[in-house]
Amino acid sequence: MPSGIEKTFQLFANTDNHAAVPVLVDALDSPYSEVREGALSALLHQRHVVAQRALVQRWRKFTPVQRSWIELSGISLEIAVRELIHSSDHEQFALGLEVLNQVPEYELIPSLALIVRDSGHSYRDSAGNTLVHLAASLRKDLRVGDSKKGGEAVRSRAIDSLGDCISHYQQHESVAILEAFLVLVTRENQLLREAWNNAKHPAHTAIIRFLRHSSRPEIIDLVLSSLTDMHPAMPVLNIVGLRHDPAFMSELTTRIHGGVNDTVRRNLAKLTKVAWAEEHRHVLEKLNGLQQAAAVHMAMCTSIGSERLYDLLLMMAGSQHSSGRLAALEELASYIDPSTNQLILDAVSDPDAGVRAEALRQLRPRGIPGAIKLLLQHLDSPQLIVKDTVRNSLAEFNFPRFLSAFDKMSLDAQKNTGRLVRGIDVNTQRLLANEMVDDASYRRLRALKIIEVMENHLDMESDLIKALQHEDHFLRAEAANLLARCPSSASVAALRQAMLDRNVRVRENAEASLRRIAGNKVAVPSIEAPVAGEQVTT
């Protein structure tokens, strides 16, 4: 249950009688901490100007925790703080700025702008720092959707007042006003577009210089917004190519690593000078892998020249980050020359599976000798991306093409090509099984011949066992013969049953296969590249 004093302060907090305010103000100076804290809590519910003045005048007596109570309470201190910053007393003015830095009153931005604009004001610099702090705080609140301390209307009024100062920039040349303005505006602001497009505007040079060097996130955001602008200001767009500081590069590449859309691509193509892709490209080494990849793909969209781009790609091909190496290899695909071919060959042994896969993908398009043999060496890779790349690179070794050419091949060609198809085309087993149940007997028997030359007896074991029940005794006989290479209990049982077949040829082949299973352990050979002189046909 609340104590008596707690009930008293609750009553003071909820009353509309302003006579309670002086009582609470006096209680702020009580020697008892319980009374002081109760009075402060109750006073934060009062909106009277006397309450505001009492809080700001005692600001330095409050503990950090108590100041945070004031900040989080939502109470407006605008009137009292305005009185302080318009005071001619240095201590009162400093106190007003101190309060503003923790309890931002955004409606005071125009007042601060006028103070900073006055080049003769004694406290211009400290007011400028607070002005920038308020602008950044307002931008943050708007970004996170916090409208308790302001809104778009407050922002609009602040921009108007700052914009008027920008229009007369030559009179005060305040960097603080310039910074606060740039923090709050978007690229759609007409005054801003006029200033950065018109070299004769009084603030043009200062704005471009500030955009060129400021590491403030809001300023970087303003510069980068030019990339998505349908009609960007070239002085600002050029800054994207000129800046190479870590803060800017990190934000630029983080935004772009998801992809480059058509608008960004068109704007990048307008850049003929890109410091971070030319003389300062080593700044890319400090980025993470995804950021490096984004930088590589962005650079390829610019107009800095093929030779400079090639030097960048060579550097990034040796990056410590696999994503950077991969991006470089992807872009090197259009460079066909001996030195690049050797780089791709070296990348086939890269420790990263993605990089290896990209290098393998480029082997045949580059016409590198021994490409097929090198690809086959990676066909059994445990990394799926590598295995799929090899299969795609050897896509002509597919079962339908092999089937259509099978009857025209020599036996050696059938064996060599068949073993390649077996390892490359993942549909081989399914398509071969379909052939074994086709209505045409010659196709069924050809399927069994293919199993023999491919030596994939074990893959087709269940289909061969089913074939022992087919009405075609030629199919049953050949299936019984091929099952000699399948020494499982299921095959042995099926062959024993086949020894009771009504056809003598089936019975003989079943018996022979059982004898071979009993006396031999046959291993299925691995897929290898054809040796010199062997024929490979598709």
Side-chain angles (χ1 to χ4, degrees):
M1 293 294 292
S3 64
I5 193 170
E6 289 174 338
K7 290 181 179 180
T8 301
F9 283 124
Q10 287 176 1
L11 179 62
F12 280 139
N14 297 322
T15 185
D16 293 328
N17 189 343
H18 294 312
V21 175
V23 176
L24 293 173
V25 170
D26 288 341
L28 289 176
D29 300 320
S30 171
Y32 303 105
S33 61
E34 185 179 6
V35 174
R36 292 196 302 272
E37 292 184 357
L40 175 59
S41 179
L43 204 57
L44 293 178
H45 290 81
Q46 298 294 329
R47 298 295 184 255
H48 199 278
V49 66
V50 174
Q52 292 187 37
R53 290 170 180 153
L55 293 174
V56 298
Q57 290 298 336
R58 290 166 175 79
W59 181 260
R60 291 170 179 164
K61 294 181 179 180
F62 293 135
T63 66
V65 172
Q66 290 171 332
R67 292 176 188 173
S68 67
W69 290 353
I70 299 173
E71 177 186 5
L72 297 174
S73 70
I75 188 173
S76 173
L77 302 179
E78 179 189 343
I79 296 175
V81 174
R82 187 186 298 274
E83 293 172 350
L84 293 178
I85 64 174
H86 284 293
S87 170
S88 58
D89 182 84
H90 174 71
E91 285 299 321
Q92 291 294 294
F93 184 83
L95 176 61
L97 296 186
E98 187 177 333
V99 175
L100 269 182
N101 280 312
Q102 184 161 351
V103 185
E105 293 292 347
Y106 302 132
E107 291 287 4
L108 295 180
I109 289 178
S111 296
L112 279 177
L114 289 176
I115 293 173
V116 178
R117 181 174 176 174
D118 181 2
S119 57
H121 198 285
S122 303
Y123 317 121
R124 183 190 189 201
D125 292 342
S126 54
N129 293 334
T130 303
L131 174 65
V132 174
H133 170 75
L134 282 182
S137 182
L138 174 56
R139 174 72 177 267
K140 179 181 177 181
D141 282 350
L142 290 171
R143 186 169 57 246
V144 300
D146 184 355
S147 59
K148 292 183 296 184
K149 297 180 180 178
E152 287 299 337
V154 176
R155 179 184 191 176
S156 178
R157 288 192 291 272
I159 290 175
D160 287 345
S161 63
L162 292 167
D164 182 64
C165 297
I166 295 297
S167 298
H168 301 86
Y169 184 77
Q170 74 280 5
Q171 296 177 5
H172 56 83
E173 296 185 342
S174 169
V175 174
I177 288 178
L178 186 67
E179 184 172 5
F181 177 71
L182 294 175
V183 163
L184 286 175
V185 295
T186 63
R187 70 173 188 235
E188 289 80 14
N189 182 271
Q190 290 302 311
L191 176 60
L192 176 66
R193 297 188 76 88
E194 178 186 350
W196 65 20
N197 275 309
N198 182 6
K200 295 182 179 180
H201 190 281
H204 174 81
T205 302
I207 285 177
I208 296 303
R209 185 188 307 115
F210 206 88
L211 295 176
R212 175 75 173 80
H213 297 287
S214 175
S215 60
R216 181 176 283 278
E218 299 88 352
I219 307 300
I220 291 176
D221 178 71
L222 193 58
V223 174
L224 294 181
S225 70
S226 64
L227 282 174
T228 56
D229 194 342
M230 293 295 293
H231 304 287
M234 282 309 299
V236 182
L237 184 61
N238 285 333
I239 293 174
V240 176
L242 294 173
R243 288 192 63 162
H244 54 271
D245 52 290
F248 182 82
M249 290 306 302
S250 178
E251 184 63 23
L252 167 65
T253 52
T254 297
R255 290 192 183 195
I256 302 296
H257 77 72
V260 179
N261 62 35
D262 291 341
T263 301
V264 174
R265 192 179 303 276
R266 285 194 299 271
N267 287 334
L268 287 173
K270 298 173 183 178
L271 299 180
T272 57
K273 172 65 178 176
V274 182
W276 50 264
E278 298 178 77
E279 69 271 21
H280 293 288
R281 60 178 176 268
H282 289 288
V283 301
L284 302 181
E285 294 175 345
K286 299 179 181 179
L287 302 176
N288 64 38
L290 292 177
Q291 292 172 335
Q292 287 182 347
V296 167
H297 294 313
M298 279 192 297
M300 298 302 293
C301 298
T302 66
S303 300
I304 63 174
S306 180
E307 183 176 347
R308 292 186 177 91
L309 289 173
Y310 186 70
D311 290 340
L312 171 68
L313 295 178
L314 288 183
M315 185 194 82
M316 294 310 301
S319 168
Q320 61 178 334
H321 298 295
S322 59
S323 296
R325 299 197 302 276
L326 175 58
L329 260 61
E330 289 172 344
E331 299 295 353
L332 281 168
S334 59
Y335 293 84
I336 309 296
D337 58 82
S339 60
T340 309
N341 287 354
Q342 185 58 52
L343 188 152
I344 297 300
L345 273 172
D346 293 340
V348 170
S349 303
D350 193 276
D352 181 78
V355 177
R356 289 201 304 276
E358 177 59 26
L360 289 166
R361 184 188 67 80
Q362 295 187 31
L363 292 180
R364 297 190 73 189
R366 290 177 175 277
I368 294 178
I372 291 180
K373 182 176 181 180
L374 193 53
L375 285 164
L376 289 172
Q377 290 174 3
H378 291 79
L379 183 58
D380 294 326
S381 172
Q383 285 83 29
L384 184 60
I385 186 174
V386 175
K387 185 179 294 186
D388 285 347
T389 298
V390 171
R391 285 172 171 164
N392 290 333
S393 296
L394 299 172
E396 72 269 29
F397 293 98
N398 59 74
F399 186 79
R401 292 188 63 183
F402 175 65
L403 185 65
S404 64
F406 183 79
D407 294 331
K408 301 174 185 178
M409 295 181 185
S410 66
L411 180 59
D412 286 342
Q414 288 175 346
K415 290 181 177 180
N416 293 332
T417 307
R419 285 181 297 190
L420 292 176
V421 171
R422 187 191 85 199
I424 295 167
D425 190 346
V426 296
N427 297 311
T428 295
Q429 184 175 341
R430 176 179 58 82
L431 297 176
L432 193 50
N434 291 340
E435 290 293 306
M436 290 178 64
V437 295
D438 194 87
D439 292 338
S441 60
Y442 83 92
R443 296 187 67 169
R444 297 194 297 267
L445 293 174
R446 182 179 59 182
L448 296 180
K449 179 63 175 176
I450 291 174
I451 292 174
E452 184 176 7
V453 299
M454 280 189 171
E455 299 184 2
N456 62 341
H457 303 69
L458 295 178
D459 292 338
M460 303 301 298
E461 180 179 13
S462 61
D463 297 287
L464 291 173
I465 291 175
K466 291 178 183 177
L468 292 177
Q469 306 300 321
H470 201 277
E471 61 182 12
D472 183 350
H473 68 274
F474 289 107
L475 185 68
R476 298 200 305 276
E478 287 304 312
N481 181 52
L482 293 177
L483 281 170
R485 302 288 295 274
C486 302
S488 69
S489 58
S491 291
V492 170
L495 288 170
R496 286 174 177 169
Q497 185 65 32
M499 289 182 66
L500 303 176
D501 195 276
R502 62 184 180 274
N503 183 272
V504 63
R505 180 67 180 276
V506 175
R507 295 197 299 272
E508 289 175 349
N509 285 358
E511 181 180 1
S513 291
L514 286 170
R515 290 180 182 277
R516 291 179 62 188
I517 289 174
N520 299 289
K521 297 292 183 181
V522 181
V524 178
S526 61
I527 307 301
E528 298 177 352
V531 298
E534 286 186 333
Q535 182 180 5
V536 177
T537 308
T538 59

